[in-house]
Amino acid sequence: MAYRPSKSFKKTALGSGAALLLAALNAPAALTFAEDTYHSYKIRQSSYRIQYGSWGLVDLPEQYRINAMHAALLHTGKVLLIAGSGNNQKNFDKGTFDTILWDPRDNTFKKIPTPEDFFCSGHTQLPDGRLLVAGGTARYEVLDGKVTRAGGGMRVKNESPDKAVTLRKGTRFRSPSGVEYQAKFDVTVPRAKREFEVTYGRGGRMTPWKTKVVAAEARVFVEAVRAGAQGLTTEAAQYEVVGLKGKDADNVYGLAERLSVDKQDFQGIKSAYEFDPLAERYVPVDPMRDARWYPTLVTLEDGRVLAVSGLNDVGDVVPGDNEYYDPRTKKWTKGPFHYFPTYPALFLTRGGKLLYTGSNAGYGPKDKGREPGVWDLRTNRFTKVEGLEDPDQLETSSSVLLPPAQDQKVMVLGGGGVGESRLATRRTAVVDLKEENPVFRTTARLPQGTRYLSSVLLPDDSVFTTGGSTDYRGRSASDIHKAQFYYARTDTFVAAADPTVGRNYHSEALLLPDGRVATFGSDPLFADKDNTKLGKFEHRLEVYTPPYLYRDPARRPVLGAGPQEVEWGGRATFKAADTGRVRRARLMRPSAVTHSTDVEQRSVELGLTKTAGSVTVEVPGDPTLVPPGWYMLFVTDADGTPSEAKWLRVKAPPARPAEPQPEGPQPES
C-alpha cells in the first residue's frame, strides 16, 4: 500500500516549507539588517573612530530648516547659512528670503532678517571681520517652451547732460510698429557727458571750442505687454518711452536688437551688503556697477575685494567687466577686464597675482574662459597654465590652496562636463607656482569620478574631501557616501568614515574652530534611481569629527590667553601648558563657500618659539600670503592633534609719518 502522510504531517510540512520559503525570500533583507546592525556597532567603537573618525547629525528644529546655499564661518565662531529664496520660485514671488545663524558650540540657531534675494550671490571675508555679500537673484529662469512673451535686453539712452533719469519697473517702451514692452526692473540712466573738441585751421590756428554730447546708457530687461508673435523682433530699432513728453521724450529712448521667446536665464542684482557678526545683521553698502548672479568675490592683499563674472541683469554672462570693492569707502570701482564663466575659482598667490584653476560652476560656453592661468591684475595679463588632464571636466570641480600656503601649490579635484553632462572625472592635479613655468601635474586619483566634491583644509595639513556625485545633480541616485583625507607629502588618499547624508549641487562644508567639519545642503534633481520623482532640498546638518579628536583628550594641546590682533611680520604670545608637545602653528582663514567654491580658506605656517608656559607665533610679513582679516590660530602636536582655535586678527601696521625734509637745495644723488 502506498504511504500517505497524515493531515497533521501535511500541515507541519507545509508550514515548514512556507517558513523556509519565507526565510529564503527575506534573506536579503535579513542580511542587510544584520550588516547594518554590525556596521552601526563597528563605527561606535573607539578603535574605529581613532582610525576613521565619525559623523553625527545636528538636531535642527523645523523652524530653522532652510535651503542653505551659502555658508560662512564668522570670527564670533558662528556659521552664517544663507538661502535667500533657496532655489524656490514660490519663495521668490512671495519675497520670502532666509538666513540662519548657527552656533556650533551649543547648537543654537537664530533667524536673521534678509533684505534681498541672496540666492547664488558671492561672498568674502573683509579685514574687519564682516562678510561682504554681493549679487543674487533678480529673476528666475523661464525654460524653453514656457516663454509666452517676447523679451530681452534693452539699452536705455539718455542724451540730456543736465540730469539723470530713473525709469521705474513697469515703464513701457513702444516700438515703431506700436508694440509695447515693459521694464521688469527699475533702471537709472546717468546724465550724458559733454565733451569738448578742439580743431585747428590753416596756419595752426585754434578754432573756437566745440561741444559734443555723448549719450549715457543703462540696460534693462523688458518683456512684451501682450503674449504672442507680434512681440518678436529680429532687427535693431529705437523705442519711445511711453509717458515722457517734451525734451525728456527726445532725450530718453530705448534701443533693442532682438526680442525673442527663447529660454530666459536667471538674472542678477547689483545689491551689496556687509554682514556684521557682532550686531548680527546685514548693513547695505553701495551697489555694484554690474548686476551679478553666480559671481566670485576674492579678498586681495590690500583688503579690497575683486568681484568677477556672474549673470547680469539681462541673464547674460558678464562679458568681462570686473570691479573692486573698497571696504573703507564702501564703494565700487572698475577693475581689469577679463572673461570667466560663473563662480570661477580664483586664488590670491604670492606677489599679488590670481591663479584661476579652471574650476567653475555652471554658466558660460564650452570653449570660452575655461583654461587655467595666472592673472596679473596690474597689467591685466593672463598667462595660461598647461598640463591639466581632462580639461573638459572642470565644471563643478573643487580647488584648494594646499597647506601650508608658503608652498604655493594649488590642487584641482574631480569635476564634470559642461552643463548636464554625465561626465565625471577621478582626476586630481597640482600646480607648483614657485616654478618658473608652472604646469599642472596629475596626482593621486579619487576613488571614483566626482562632481560637487567638498574639500576642506584641516589643521594637520591634510585635505578632507567628502560627498559629491558621479552624475549631474545626483541624477540616477549617484550621490557618493564616501569621505577621505588627502596627504600632499605622500600624494595619497586615505579613507575616512562614511557620511550619512549625500551631498551634491548646492552643498557646502567648512572647518569649525574646534577642529570638526560641518556639512550643509544638497539640491538633487531627482529623488529616485529611475529619475521619476523630483528631488527635495537636503536640510540635515551633519558634522564630522576627525580621528585626531579621538586621541587622548588629556594630551590635546591647549592655548590660553593671548592677544586678538597682530600685525604683518609681528609676534603674538599665548599662555600654554605642556608646550613640549606643541610642534607646529597654523593660521587658518575661515571659509565662505558655495557651489563647491571656497577661495577664502588657506592655512599659513607660522614661526614658533616656546617657553615653559607660553608659545609665541610669528606671522609672515607678506600680505599676499596672509590677506588682512580674522584667522583661526591652531597649534598641533607631532601627531597632528590640534588645539581649539584662538581667533587672531591680522592687520596692516600703522602708516609711518612722512620724514621731515630739510630746507634749502639738496645735493644731487
Side-chain angles (χ1 to χ4, degrees):
M1 179 183 289
Y3 173 75
R4 293 180 180 178
S6 67
K7 289 182 178 180
S8 61
F9 179 85
K10 286 181 180 179
K11 289 180 181 179
T12 303
L14 287 172
S16 301
L20 289 170
L21 178 61
L22 186 62
L25 290 173
N26 287 331
L31 182 60
T32 300
F33 175 78
E35 289 175 343
D36 288 347
T37 301
Y38 175 71
H39 179 71
S40 179
Y41 164 78
K42 182 177 69 173
I43 65 176
R44 292 197 300 269
Q45 304 307 302
S46 296
S47 58
Y48 180 91
R49 291 179 171 182
I50 289 173
Q51 183 173 356
Y52 299 104
S54 72
W55 290 87
L57 292 171
V58 173
D59 184 17
L60 183 60
E62 186 172 354
Q63 67 268 32
Y64 299 117
R65 296 173 188 173
I66 65 171
N67 295 359
M69 303 289 176
H70 312 267
L73 177 63
L74 308 174
H75 76 274
T76 58
K78 298 179 181 180
V79 179
L80 193 70
L81 299 173
I82 305 173
S85 58
N87 202 16
N88 184 323
Q89 187 160 3
K90 291 181 180 178
N91 289 341
F92 177 82
D93 293 339
K94 292 187 296 184
T96 302
F97 310 136
D98 292 318
T99 301
I100 295 296
L101 198 58
W102 170 50
D103 191 337
R105 290 164 295 198
D106 56 9
N107 286 330
T108 55
F109 299 85
K110 178 181 178 181
K111 288 187 176 182
I112 303 296
T114 309
E116 300 199 44
D117 192 0
F118 297 138
F119 166 49
C120 292
S121 61
H123 30 64
T124 190
Q125 306 281 357
L126 294 176
D128 65 355
R130 295 189 180 204
L131 183 79
L132 177 65
V133 181
T137 305
R139 185 174 188 266
Y140 269 65
E141 67 181 353
V142 185
L143 301 177
D144 284 328
K146 295 189 177 182
V147 181
T148 59
R149 290 178 168 82
M154 180 169 288
R155 293 179 294 139
V156 184
K157 294 279 193 175
N158 179 18
E159 293 185 354
S160 171
D162 300 320
K163 63 178 182 179
V165 175
T166 297
L167 303 179
R168 297 299 179 190
K169 176 180 178 181
T171 296
R172 295 193 177 192
F173 297 83
R174 184 180 293 136
S175 74
S177 62
V179 179
E180 292 188 357
Y181 304 81
Q182 60 184 351
K184 302 303 290 183
F185 311 100
D186 294 350
V187 59
T188 297
V189 193
R191 294 182 301 173
K193 292 183 179 179
R194 283 192 178 97
E195 293 185 355
F196 296 99
E197 291 183 331
V198 179
T199 58
Y200 295 88
R202 292 181 179 179
R205 291 184 179 180
M206 188 173 67
T207 62
W209 292 88
K210 289 185 179 181
T211 304
K212 180 176 69 172
V213 174
V214 179
E217 179 180 300
R219 188 177 51 223
V220 67
F221 186 83
V222 299
E223 191 174 67
V225 173
R226 295 183 180 180
Q230 71 272 12
L232 300 173
T233 67
T234 57
E235 297 180 355
Q238 183 169 315
Y239 295 74
E240 65 174 298
V241 181
V242 177
L244 292 186
K245 297 179 181 179
K247 288 186 178 181
D248 288 344
D250 295 332
N251 288 330
V252 183
Y253 53 90
L255 295 175
E257 295 180 359
R258 183 173 183 270
L259 300 171
S260 73
V261 290
D262 295 344
K263 175 192 172 184
Q264 296 168 357
D265 264 317
F266 283 93
Q267 294 164 12
I269 59 177
K270 297 181 179 181
S271 302
Y273 288 77
E274 291 182 358
F275 185 81
D276 185 335
L278 302 179
E280 298 184 345
R281 66 186 182 94
Y282 289 104
V283 179
V285 296
D286 271 11
M288 294 182 289
R289 298 158 63 97
D290 277 287
R292 300 180 189 273
W293 186 85
Y294 267 55
T296 291
L297 273 59
V298 56
T299 297
L300 305 176
E301 68 271 20
D302 59 3
R304 291 183 304 160
V305 172
L306 181 65
V308 175
S309 191
L311 297 189
N312 61 21
D313 48 5
V314 296
D316 298 330
V317 178
V318 175
D321 300 288
N322 308 303
E323 53 192 299
Y324 291 113
Y325 175 74
D326 190 333
R328 294 167 296 183
T329 64
K330 315 297 184 188
K331 295 185 181 299
W332 299 83
T333 55
K334 186 177 178 63
F337 186 92
H338 192 87
Y339 176 91
F340 294 96
T342 56
Y343 279 138
L346 294 162
F347 292 89
L348 178 65
T349 68
R350 200 167 225 162
K353 297 177 183 179
L354 297 182
L355 172 70
Y356 169 49
T357 63
S359 295
N360 65 89
Y363 289 82
K366 292 182 179 181
D367 56 353
K368 186 177 180 182
R370 295 181 181 268
E371 292 181 296
V374 176
W375 187 21
D376 189 332
L377 301 179
R378 296 178 180 87
T379 63
N380 199 23
R381 182 181 178 187
F382 189 87
T383 305
K384 293 178 182 178
V385 176
E386 308 287 351
L388 197 60
E389 184 183 336
D390 293 339
D392 61 336
Q393 297 176 57
L394 283 167
E395 193 163 286
T396 66
S397 63
S398 175
S399 295
V400 291
L401 174 62
L402 290 173
Q406 283 89 338
D407 285 354
Q408 291 291 282
K409 293 180 179 179
V410 181
M411 186 176 193
V412 175
L413 304 96
V418 174
E420 298 186 18
S421 166
R422 293 184 178 276
L423 293 175
T425 179
R426 296 176 58 200
R427 176 260 297 120
T428 76
V430 172
V431 58
D432 185 346
L433 296 171
K434 299 191 303 298
E435 295 178 352
E436 184 176 353
N437 296 300
V439 295
F440 276 101
R441 292 182 172 84
T442 300
T443 41
R445 294 183 181 276
L446 292 165
Q448 59 203 109
T450 309
R451 307 170 64 116
Y452 317 106
L453 183 70
S454 287
S455 302
V456 180
L457 306 183
L458 297 185
D460 65 353
D461 287 354
S462 66
V463 181
F464 177 68
T465 66
T466 182
S469 64
T470 60
D471 201 349
Y472 174 76
R473 288 186 64 179
R475 193 165 45 193
S476 303
S478 62
D479 280 356
I480 300 169
H481 290 75
K482 296 290 182 183
Q484 49 274 320
F485 300 97
Y486 176 74
Y487 295 96
R489 287 192 178 90
T490 57
D491 186 29
T492 53
F493 281 100
V494 175
D498 298 339
T500 302
V501 182
R503 309 280 182 187
N504 53 70
Y505 185 52
H506 286 147
S507 64
E508 306 86 36
L510 54 76
L511 175 68
L512 297 174
D514 60 8
R516 296 179 300 160
V517 176
T519 61
F520 321 88
S522 189
D523 198 357
L525 196 59
F526 297 104
D528 64 333
K529 189 173 184 179
D530 296 325
N531 302 326
T532 60
K533 300 177 182 178
L534 289 178
K536 294 182 179 179
F537 200 95
E538 178 59 69
H539 290 150
R540 285 176 292 176
L541 193 167
E542 193 171 21
V543 176
Y544 176 69
T545 303
Y548 54 53
L549 294 181
Y550 286 107
R551 299 168 189 153
D552 185 355
R555 294 173 62 81
R556 183 180 183 184
V558 177
L559 281 178
Q564 288 192 309
E565 291 186 348
V566 65
E567 296 173 357
W568 286 311
R571 293 169 171 259
T573 299
F574 294 82
K575 292 182 179 180
D578 195 10
T579 57
R581 291 186 52 79
V582 176
R583 293 294 179 88
R584 289 179 291 274
R586 295 289 185 267
L587 272 187
M588 302 195 71
R589 193 168 176 89
S591 287
V593 57
T594 185
H595 291 74
S596 305
T597 305
D598 186 357
V599 300
E600 282 293 282
Q601 61 174 344
R602 63 176 54 210
S603 177
V604 182
E605 184 176 8
L606 303 181
L608 179 67
T609 55
K610 300 178 288 184
T611 65
S614 68
V615 294
T616 298
V617 295
E618 183 174 354
V619 176
D622 184 352
T624 64
L625 192 63
V626 194
W630 285 88
Y631 288 78
M632 292 178 283
L633 169 63
F634 291 95
V635 293
T636 61
D637 65 12
D639 296 325
T641 304
S643 64
E644 287 202 27
K646 289 288 186 180
W647 285 97
L648 188 62
R649 183 185 177 192
V650 178
K651 55 188 295 188
R656 292 181 180 178
E659 295 183 3
Q661 298 296 319
E663 297 180 0
Q666 301 299 307
E668 294 183 3
S669 59

